[in-house]
Protein backbone atom coordinates (compact mmCIF):
# COMPACT_ATOMS: atom_id res chain seq x y z
CA UNK A 1 0.00 0.00 0.00
CA UNK A 2 2.83 2.13 -0.06
CA UNK A 3 2.36 2.87 -3.65
CA UNK A 4 -0.89 4.54 -2.90
CA UNK A 5 0.67 7.19 -0.73
CA UNK A 6 2.91 8.23 -3.53
CA UNK A 7 0.03 8.57 -5.94
CA UNK A 8 -2.36 10.15 -3.58
CA UNK A 9 -3.85 13.53 -4.45
CA UNK A 10 -3.75 16.15 -1.80
CA UNK A 11 -6.42 18.68 -2.46
CA UNK A 12 -4.97 21.31 -0.19
CA UNK A 13 -1.69 21.10 -1.85
CA UNK A 14 -3.27 21.52 -5.27
CA UNK A 15 -5.21 24.51 -3.99
CA UNK A 16 -2.09 26.10 -2.49
CA UNK A 17 -0.18 25.47 -5.72
CA UNK A 18 -2.98 27.12 -7.70
CA UNK A 19 -3.02 30.10 -5.34
CA UNK A 20 0.78 30.36 -5.64
CA UNK A 21 0.45 30.23 -9.41
CA UNK A 22 -2.21 32.97 -9.45
CA UNK A 23 -0.17 35.13 -7.07
CA UNK A 24 2.94 34.59 -9.15
CA UNK A 25 0.96 35.48 -12.27
CA UNK A 26 -0.42 38.68 -10.67
CA UNK A 27 3.00 39.71 -9.36
CA UNK A 28 4.62 39.07 -12.73
CA UNK A 29 1.80 40.87 -14.51
CA UNK A 30 2.04 43.86 -12.20
CA UNK A 31 5.84 44.12 -12.01
CA UNK A 32 6.95 42.79 -15.39
CA UNK A 33 4.16 42.70 -17.97
CA UNK A 34 2.83 46.23 -17.48
CA UNK A 35 6.30 47.94 -17.52
CA UNK A 36 7.41 45.87 -20.50
CA UNK A 37 4.15 46.72 -22.25
CA UNK A 38 4.74 50.43 -21.46
CA UNK A 39 8.30 50.23 -22.86
CA UNK A 40 7.04 48.47 -25.99
CA UNK A 41 4.27 51.05 -26.40
CA UNK A 42 6.78 53.88 -25.96
CA UNK A 43 9.10 52.33 -28.53
CA UNK A 44 6.20 51.83 -30.92
CA UNK A 45 5.16 55.47 -30.45
CA UNK A 46 8.76 56.55 -31.06
CA UNK A 47 8.94 54.43 -34.20
CA UNK A 48 5.61 55.81 -35.40
CA UNK A 49 6.88 59.34 -34.76
CA UNK A 50 10.10 58.64 -36.67
CA UNK A 51 8.14 57.13 -39.58
CA UNK A 52 5.86 60.14 -39.57
CA UNK A 53 8.86 62.53 -39.52
CA UNK A 54 10.51 60.55 -42.31
CA UNK A 55 7.33 60.72 -44.40
CA UNK A 56 7.05 64.47 -43.75
CA UNK A 57 10.72 64.91 -44.71
CA UNK A 58 10.15 62.86 -47.85
CA UNK A 59 7.17 65.00 -48.83
CA UNK A 60 9.17 68.17 -48.09
CA UNK A 61 12.06 66.87 -50.18
CA UNK A 62 9.67 66.13 -53.06
CA UNK A 63 8.21 69.63 -52.77
CA UNK A 64 11.71 71.15 -52.65
CA UNK A 65 12.73 69.08 -55.67
CA UNK A 66 9.71 70.29 -57.61
CA UNK A 67 10.46 73.89 -56.62
CA UNK A 68 14.10 73.56 -57.69
CA UNK A 69 13.12 71.96 -60.98
CA UNK A 70 10.72 74.84 -61.58
CA UNK A 71 13.44 77.36 -60.72
CA UNK A 72 15.87 75.49 -62.98
CA UNK A 73 13.41 75.64 -65.86
CA UNK A 74 12.90 79.34 -65.16
CA UNK A 75 16.66 79.87 -65.13
CA UNK A 76 17.03 77.94 -68.38
CA UNK A 77 14.28 80.02 -69.97
CA UNK A 78 15.92 83.20 -68.67
CA UNK A 79 19.31 82.08 -70.00
CA UNK A 80 17.75 81.30 -73.38
CA UNK A 81 16.11 84.73 -73.43
CA UNK A 82 19.44 86.36 -72.54
CA UNK A 83 21.18 84.43 -75.32
CA UNK A 84 18.52 85.46 -77.83
CA UNK A 85 18.74 89.09 -76.70
CA UNK A 86 22.53 89.01 -76.99
CA UNK A 87 22.28 87.43 -80.45
CA UNK A 88 19.79 90.07 -81.55
CA UNK A 89 22.03 92.82 -80.14
CA UNK A 90 25.04 91.31 -81.90
CA UNK A 91 23.05 91.13 -85.15
CA UNK A 92 22.05 94.76 -84.89
CA UNK A 93 25.61 95.74 -84.02
CA UNK A 94 26.91 93.69 -86.94
CA UNK A 95 24.47 95.36 -89.31
CA UNK A 96 25.51 98.75 -87.96
CA UNK A 97 29.20 97.93 -88.47
CA UNK A 98 28.51 96.71 -92.02
CA UNK A 99 26.51 99.86 -92.78
CA UNK A 100 29.30 102.05 -91.39
CA UNK A 101 31.88 100.13 -93.41
CA UNK A 102 29.74 100.47 -96.55
CA UNK A 103 29.32 104.21 -95.96
CA UNK A 104 33.04 104.58 -95.43
CA UNK A 105 33.79 102.55 -98.57
CA UNK A 106 31.31 104.66 -100.56
CA UNK A 107 32.95 107.80 -99.20
CA UNK A 108 36.40 106.52 -100.18
CA UNK A 109 35.12 105.61 -103.66
CA UNK A 110 33.52 109.05 -104.12
CA UNK A 111 36.71 110.72 -102.93
CA UNK A 112 38.79 108.59 -105.29
CA UNK A 113 36.43 109.41 -108.19
CA UNK A 114 36.64 113.12 -107.35
CA UNK A 115 40.41 112.96 -107.16
CA UNK A 116 40.55 111.02 -110.44
CA UNK A 117 38.30 113.59 -112.09
CA UNK A 118 40.51 116.42 -110.76
CA UNK A 119 43.63 114.64 -112.00
CA UNK A 120 41.99 114.07 -115.37
CA UNK A 121 41.00 117.72 -115.62
CA UNK A 122 44.50 118.78 -114.56
CA UNK A 123 46.06 116.47 -117.14
CA UNK A 124 43.68 117.82 -119.75
CA UNK A 125 44.62 121.40 -118.88
CA UNK A 126 48.33 120.53 -118.92
CA UNK A 127 47.93 118.92 -122.35
CA UNK A 128 46.09 121.98 -123.62
CA UNK A 129 48.84 124.29 -122.38
CA UNK A 130 51.49 122.08 -123.91
CA UNK A 131 49.64 121.98 -127.23
CA UNK A 132 49.31 125.77 -127.18
CA UNK A 133 53.02 126.16 -126.50
CA UNK A 134 53.99 123.69 -129.18
CA UNK A 135 51.53 125.25 -131.64
CA UNK A 136 52.92 128.68 -131.00
CA UNK A 137 56.47 127.54 -131.60
CA UNK A 138 55.45 125.64 -134.74
CA UNK A 139 53.41 128.49 -136.11
CA UNK A 140 56.25 130.95 -135.58
CA UNK A 141 58.65 128.68 -137.37
CA UNK A 142 56.21 127.99 -140.15
CA UNK A 143 55.38 131.57 -140.81
CA UNK A 144 58.80 132.81 -139.96
CA UNK A 145 57.41 135.92 -138.58
CA UNK A 146 56.42 137.30 -135.31
CA UNK A 147 52.83 137.40 -134.34
CA UNK A 148 51.23 138.66 -131.21
CA UNK A 149 51.55 135.74 -128.83
CA UNK A 150 48.41 136.64 -126.89
CA UNK A 151 46.21 136.66 -130.01
CA UNK A 152 47.69 133.46 -131.23
CA UNK A 153 47.24 131.79 -127.83
CA UNK A 154 43.58 132.83 -127.71
CA UNK A 155 42.97 131.47 -131.19
CA UNK A 156 44.60 128.10 -130.39
CA UNK A 157 42.82 127.76 -127.01
CA UNK A 158 39.43 128.31 -128.63
CA UNK A 159 40.31 125.69 -131.22
CA UNK A 160 41.43 123.24 -128.50
CA UNK A 161 38.28 123.96 -126.47
CA UNK A 162 36.22 122.90 -129.47
CA UNK A 163 38.31 119.76 -129.80
CA UNK A 164 38.05 119.12 -126.00
CA UNK A 165 34.27 119.54 -126.12
CA UNK A 166 34.03 117.10 -128.99
CA UNK A 167 36.17 114.57 -127.06
CA UNK A 168 33.94 114.87 -123.97
CA UNK A 169 30.92 114.05 -126.08
CA UNK A 170 32.61 110.94 -127.48
CA UNK A 171 33.55 109.53 -124.12
Amino acid sequence: MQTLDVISVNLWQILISLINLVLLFLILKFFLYKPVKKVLAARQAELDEKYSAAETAKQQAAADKAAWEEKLQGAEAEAEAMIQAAAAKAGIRGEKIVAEAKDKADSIIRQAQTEAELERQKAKDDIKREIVSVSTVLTEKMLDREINEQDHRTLIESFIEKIGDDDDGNE
Side-chain angles (χ1 to χ4, degrees):
M1 295 253 178
Q2 267 188 350
T3 55
L4 258 151
D5 280 338
V6 174
I7 300 182
S8 70
V9 176
N10 189 350
L11 195 60
W12 285 109
Q13 208 165 24
I14 291 177
L15 189 62
I16 290 175
S17 289
L18 277 175
I19 290 175
N20 280 339
L21 184 64
V22 169
L23 281 174
L24 185 62
F25 174 75
L26 290 176
I27 290 172
L28 286 177
K29 182 178 179 188
F30 183 72
F31 286 111
L32 288 178
Y33 183 72
K34 283 187 179 182
V36 169
K37 193 172 180 182
K38 282 183 183 180
V39 168
L40 288 177
R43 289 188 100 187
Q44 185 63 42
E46 187 179 333
L47 285 175
D48 290 342
E49 184 179 321
K50 286 184 179 181
Y51 280 128
S52 175
E55 186 63 32
T56 304
K58 183 179 176 183
Q59 289 173 354
Q60 183 64 35
D64 289 345
K65 181 182 176 186
W68 278 109
E69 286 177 353
E70 187 176 312
K71 284 183 181 180
L72 181 64
Q73 288 176 351
E76 287 174 352
E78 186 177 334
E80 184 65 30
M82 289 173 74
I83 289 170
Q84 288 177 352
K89 221 182 229 186
I92 291 170
R93 178 114 170 104
E95 289 173 4
K96 185 178 177 183
I97 289 171
V98 168
E100 288 175 359
K102 186 175 179 183
D103 289 344
K104 193 171 185 179
D106 289 344
S107 172
I108 290 171
I109 290 171
R110 281 192 302 273
Q111 184 179 3
Q113 287 174 341
T114 303
E115 288 176 6
E117 184 61 34
L118 289 174
E119 287 294 322
R120 184 172 160 248
Q121 189 64 35
K122 184 179 175 185
K124 199 176 190 183
D125 291 343
D126 287 346
I127 290 172
K128 283 181 184 179
R129 269 187 253 122
E130 195 66 34
I131 289 174
V132 168
S133 296
V134 170
S135 302
T136 305
V137 170
L138 283 175
T139 306
E140 282 179 4
K141 285 187 180 184
M142 282 177 54
L143 295 176
D144 250 353
R145 63 181 187 107
E146 253 185 74
I147 52 175
N148 184 353
E149 188 177 328
Q150 184 61 31
D151 292 340
H152 190 13
R153 189 175 290 271
T154 306
L155 180 64
I156 291 173
E157 283 181 7
S158 69
F159 176 71
I160 290 174
E161 284 293 324
K162 286 182 183 178
I163 291 173
D165 291 341
D166 288 344
D167 285 344
D168 285 345
N170 289 337
E171 291 177 355

